Amino acid sequence: MRTELREFWRLAVPLASAQLAQSATGFLDTVMMGWMGKSTLAAGSLATGTFMTMIVIGIGLLMGVAPLIAAAQGQKDRFSPGEATPTAVSDWSQQGCWLSLMVALPGIPLLLLLPTLMEQLGQQPQLVADSKVYLDIMTIGLWPALFFAMFKSVLSAAANPRSVLWIGLGGLAVNGVGNYLLGFGKFGCPALGIAGIAIATVAAHWCMALAAIGYVLLYRKADRLLAWPMVPRPPLLRELLRLGWPLSITLGLEVGLFTIVTYLMGTLGAEALAAHQVVFQTIVVIFMVPLGMALATTVRVGRYFGQQDFQGARRAAHLAILASAGFMATMSLALLLWPTLFIGLYLNVSDPDNQRTIELATQLLRIAAIAQIADGIQTTVAGAIRGLQDTRAPMVLGFVAFWVVGLQLGWLCGFTFHWGAHGLWIGQSLGVLTAATLYYARFRYLTRQLALHRT
């Protein structure tokens, strides 16, 4: 248990920190949009939510890289003790690079068309116009964002996970400085508003992608991370897609629930949408820690899967679940005790014009706080299931949890019972709780069946 805990934290701490650093770019965007006014914050909510939906769906297609490398390591397919062979690592990472490009190319025109969908879903024309400015610029950052997300798996599973943290911190610095200079027109730069924030975010994504490439090229064992020539290999691409497409749909169902809720918030007015964005961005930042734990869990469980040690896989998953639940319980308490502290990061709490938005955000933050433990558990268990290379069953379970339970109950509470924004958050929170329950049941069933099959 001590060894497992040590290995888990060795991966989880830098990965969770890296996730926090990367998500902090969205946090900084939201904070600075809030400084520009609640109408800009509302438009940014639509734009960033839409872009993140595209990113998460694309990342799902690329998430097959980590469990495949981890399983190869578990099978002792290694060049030397503790390392995967050049083929096991470099081939998967090479094909992941190609796949990131294949995902980004069709995603760009789709991103350009999404503002039209916003109008058809009843969003206010001015909010849509401001969102379009942001999304048009962010198309340039789609590929580097996907590429870096994929290469995090490679660097974490095959090299030094701390490298991901330092690259993420560098991207955060680029984004923060760029937002300040271009968003508000400081030090002689033009004041571009929401367009300046988008430009800074694109620059951060490109810097992180280029830094990842630079690290691989300068790494003393670079030939083991990325082999040349860079040519597509259809059999390996098919294997990545076999694991990736159900993951993409599963993640799309989860983030899609939050995106649809954001759109529904828009129909309730700018104040509801701004309050929702404050709460949503806050829990997104918090969620990055259990998400980093989930990435570490995938690697640990994947190695046990390669060794056919299913008792070890269950032990690794349970340790991760306890760590994730403990962290989220602490954050839940903080959100309940000091809601104004978090809301004050985005909005001027002493401005009378913001009082209705602040009051609503405080109420929504209480609902979100109660759901935090379930959210941490569901993402960590999902990481464990990915380590077992089971992706199709969670896709079905995710549909039931997020769309049958979460969205339907959100609509029922929000519009049928007329609870408005509160009802939408109650519904999506119940969807998260359902996902945690179903995913954990699936993980226990899988490990039990795999152990029986082995015997």
Side-chain angles (χ1 to χ4, degrees):
M1 291 288 285
R2 285 196 299 269
T3 300
E4 178 57 42
L5 198 58
R6 183 176 63 250
E7 289 300 311
F8 170 73
W9 286 119
R10 184 184 68 83
L11 285 171
V13 170
L15 285 175
S17 302
Q19 289 297 134
L20 274 172
Q22 192 174 6
S23 72
T25 59
F27 170 75
L28 283 177
D29 288 354
T30 302
V31 167
M32 295 194 180
M33 287 174 188
W35 292 352
M36 293 175 186
K38 61 184 179 184
S39 60
T40 302
L41 180 59
S45 174
L46 289 176
T48 55
T50 301
F51 182 74
M52 284 308 301
T53 300
M54 291 286 297
I55 289 292
V56 169
I57 292 172
I59 287 173
L61 288 168
L62 302 167
M63 289 184 75
V65 175
L68 288 169
I69 292 177
Q73 291 175 321
Q75 293 164 352
K76 301 186 185 300
D77 181 14
R78 296 168 179 167
F79 183 78
S80 62
E83 295 177 355
T85 62
T87 301
V89 175
S90 64
D91 282 0
W92 291 124
S93 60
Q94 183 187 79
Q95 300 312 303
C97 293
W98 282 107
L99 190 57
S100 67
L101 182 62
M102 292 166 57
V103 173
L105 288 177
I108 291 173
L110 181 58
L111 203 58
L112 292 172
L113 292 173
L114 283 174
T116 304
L117 176 62
M118 293 180 188
E119 287 190 30
Q120 294 174 349
L121 291 174
Q123 304 305 308
Q124 298 176 15
Q126 185 57 50
L127 296 181
V128 173
D130 290 342
S131 299
K132 187 178 187 306
V133 171
Y134 184 92
L135 290 174
D136 287 350
I137 297 170
M138 289 303 298
T139 55
I140 307 171
L142 183 59
W143 176 77
L146 290 173
F147 174 84
F148 181 66
M150 183 279 302
F151 232 79
K152 278 193 301 187
S153 299
V154 177
L155 294 173
S156 302
N160 182 359
R162 289 185 178 87
S163 61
V164 181
L165 170 60
W166 292 114
I167 293 171
L169 288 173
L172 175 61
V174 170
N175 185 71
V177 172
N179 278 352
Y180 186 69
L181 294 179
L182 298 176
F184 297 96
K186 302 297 182 179
F187 298 101
C189 296
L192 302 177
I194 196 170
I197 289 177
I199 293 170
T201 305
V202 167
H205 286 311
W206 274 101
C207 286
M208 289 188 288
L210 293 174
I213 295 172
Y215 177 81
V216 170
L217 295 178
L218 296 174
Y219 185 55
R220 63 187 179 88
K221 299 170 183 174
D223 59 318
R224 300 182 190 178
L225 294 178
L226 196 60
W228 302 92
M230 290 280 291
V231 293
R233 295 175 61 180
L236 297 186
L237 285 170
R238 282 196 296 270
E239 181 65 12
L240 285 174
L241 286 171
R242 182 188 69 79
L243 288 177
W245 74 262
L247 286 173
S248 178
I249 293 176
T250 303
L251 292 175
L253 290 170
E254 181 176 356
V255 74
L257 169 64
F258 290 100
T259 303
I260 292 297
V261 167
T262 298
Y263 286 176
L264 292 174
M265 287 287 181
T267 66
L268 299 175
E271 286 185 343
L273 188 55
H276 167 77
Q277 178 64 4
V278 166
V279 177
F280 180 66
Q281 187 58 58
T282 300
I283 66 167
V284 163
V285 173
I286 295 171
F287 178 74
M288 290 301 111
V289 174
L291 181 57
M293 293 181 182
L295 295 174
T297 306
T298 298
V299 173
R300 295 301 303 158
V301 172
R303 291 184 182 181
Y304 284 117
F305 178 76
Q307 296 168 0
Q308 298 292 288
D309 180 1
F310 304 113
Q311 190 63 32
R314 182 175 288 191
R315 181 174 61 249
H318 283 153
L319 281 171
I321 291 168
L322 286 174
S324 180
F327 171 79
M328 293 302 258
T330 303
M331 294 310 302
S332 295
L333 187 61
L335 292 173
L336 290 171
L337 291 177
W338 304 293
T340 307
L341 179 65
F342 294 93
I343 297 169
L345 296 172
Y346 307 90
L347 295 169
N348 183 357
V349 295
S350 61
D351 187 346
D353 291 339
N354 293 333
Q355 290 310 302
R356 172 56 187 153
T357 303
I358 292 168
E359 180 184 343
L360 181 56
T362 302
Q363 295 164 358
L364 297 181
L365 201 59
R366 293 194 183 105
I367 299 171
I370 296 170
Q372 289 298 285
I373 298 175
D375 207 9
I377 292 173
Q378 69 89 14
T379 192
T380 308
V381 178
I385 294 174
R386 286 195 296 273
L388 298 175
Q389 299 186 19
D390 177 44
T391 57
R392 299 193 182 187
M395 175 180 65
V396 177
L397 298 179
F399 173 77
V400 172
F402 296 118
W403 287 71
V404 175
V405 176
L407 184 59
Q408 301 304 317
L409 286 179
W411 179 272
L412 183 69
C413 295
F415 296 99
T416 303
F417 294 162
H418 303 290
W419 294 352
H422 306 80
L424 289 172
W425 266 91
I426 289 171
Q428 70 180 15
S429 298
L430 290 173
V432 168
L433 176 61
T434 304
T437 304
L438 294 178
Y439 287 166
Y440 183 70
R442 176 63 180 174
F443 176 76
R444 287 185 60 84
Y445 171 80
L446 269 178
T447 50
R448 189 182 303 115
Q449 291 300 113
L450 288 169
L452 289 174
H453 180 71
R454 184 188 179 191
T455 57

